[in-house]
Amino acid sequence: VAGWQGRLLRVDLTRRKAVVQGLDAAVARDFIGGRGLAAKILWDELPPGVDPLSPYNKLIFAAGPLTGLPGPNFGKLVVAAKSPLTGGYGDGNIGTWAAVNLRKAGYDALVVEGRAEKPSYIFIDGDRVEILEAGDLWGLNAWSVEEKLQKIHGRDAAVITIGPAGENLVRFATVVSHKGRSGGRPGMGAVMGSKNLKAVVVKGKGEVPLADKAAYQRLAVEAVREGSSSPSYGFWMRQGTTSTVEWAQEASVLPAYNYSEGQFDDFSKIGGGAVEKLETDLKSCPLCFMACGHWVPAESGSVEVDYENLAMLGSNLGIGDLYKVGELNRIADVMGMDTISLGNVLGYVMEASERGYGDRLGFVVEWGDYEAARQLALDIAYRRGVGDLLADGVRKVAERIGGQDFAMHVKGLEISAYDCHAAPAMALAYATSPIGAHHKDAWVIAWEVKTDRFGYTRDKAAKVVELQRIRGGWFETFVGCRFPWVEVGLSLDWYPRLFKAATGVDATPEYFNEVGDRIYALIRAFWVREYGWWSRELDMPPAKWFKEPLTKGPLKGARLDPEGYGRLLDYYYELRGWDRRGVPRRETLEKLGLGYVAAELERLGLAG
Ligand code: PTT
């Protein structure tokens, strides 16, 4: 089918073999690409219960039919595997030239299997695929590796790499590209490290296939023109995601002191206004007209800051100094670990210290103690001392030290940077996200703060499902950045039209939504199969938001209501066709063409 390359590249590091496999047309139609393809491969091929850090896990880099094309920001790639942080499905979406080059090299996805005997990297140049030695790259930070590999293979070689955190199997290690793009929050970098794989280098000179080239090119130009003439485009280009600090403060959802508060006194020192004044550089993913990468100076050089990083390493830790927050962000980037999880782990340590857990931790760290945070970040990356424990993420740390009530995670993935004391729908979005608590699938909070914030109504659950379909279904399968739609208001109508011109498939919004539902049901089934049991307790947000109200600000006293939340969850399951435990029912699976999934769950005694 036009639009897909129709080829998957499989590299088995154990056998040192690369094979090209055809992409089944029905799989392309039903799962499209990106997350859809990754979830399908993991369901079909992963032996249930496999250790995520064993050679049997599969690390998938999956593009979609729009990846690599000009237009509203299609330089993105999904990276997925069974997660070592959560034990369930994990993925992330990274902006990188490797996305473009993979498609130009003639592939829709790369599936990495096995484990190399020695540190290695994969080199792809069209049909030429080699597994090369990475002995002298092992131990290097992510940015140096990229520089070295580009010296060897040329500036047109795109590099995805891991830093020391990935090598040391930090459970929230990510994969890194372009000195500042980081993807795969649930430990995709650790999976890569467990395979002794330091980098993937991709060159490609071919064409990305198009069903109707002239129509595509015309639409792409028009869509970008519409996006860049949006009234919000100028402000976006000045502040990008960093202005969310000021917005979140105003809405009382800025995480402060490990999500104890929704406001932070020094917010303006780490917000979009401060970033705009200090900015040194602006960088974007490939083929992007929006450039969300705002660079600011930090102690050891400059760094790209985004909202999540500023909030998690700033307000959440009580650090109101952009220079210092930037440095913590830079450490995470060069070491290759996720800023959101890092900010949660450090926030947990500070709160545990305040609550008198110092004896169990073996030390005490005060709120706002930048030096201690810096040292701990490095100790985590190298798994030194207590860093070895913290590198396993807050769920595991709390299992050892105690304090589950203030370990801020869902299913083991740490919460992103929106406090939910007064945001039940956002809490539901975190709790039902297919990878654990990440905002990417349903950033419902911007809508919720404009409605009845304290309501637990059916329309809230419906909004979460609607956003999950679009963000988690559309954008993660044709694989493009959602920012043109979210941030500068590009109409969603463009995407089915672009998709049709690229693939020839008459894609309606209903088609994308159905693919989204199929993927959601499949991923949920994957979790259920991996865990070997399921309960609605797994779809609960952290206890703190129910038990400990906000103590400051205009929403003082706000907290989640357990009964109301239970109702929201029931509405959600009903809308999805899942049972009261959150397991997809047979009829739902059958309707989505997933009868084989229902049969497998029944065989295992796990059916909904
Ligand atoms: C993403 C998550 C985010 S979401 C942020 S900031 W954000 C953090 N960024 C990190 C970073 O930087 N360094 C680091 N060491 N760790 C980091 N962890 C955090 O990772 C990012 C942009 C952003 S910036 C967002 S919202 C959008 N995300 C998209 C998405 O998920 N899907 C999609 N189709 N389009 C998206 N567009 C936007 O892309 P993860 P990126 Mg991403 C320095 O990786 O695992 O999905 O986690 O990767 O290429 O950096 O794009 O305010």
Side-chain angles (χ1 to χ4, degrees), residues 9-11 18 20 107 122-131:
L9 175 63
R10 285 183 185 265
V11 177
V20 177
Y107 308 106
I122 297 172
F123 176 73
I124 302 167
D125 186 357
D127 286 338
R128 190 175 142 211
V129 181
E130 292 174 50
I131 300 168

Side-chain angles (χ1 to χ4, degrees), residues 586 588-602:
R586 174 171 258 284
T588 306
L589 291 166
E590 275 174 357
K591 220 166 62 198
L592 295 167
L594 298 174
Y596 57 97
V597 174
E600 168 87 340
L601 291 182
E602 278 158 15

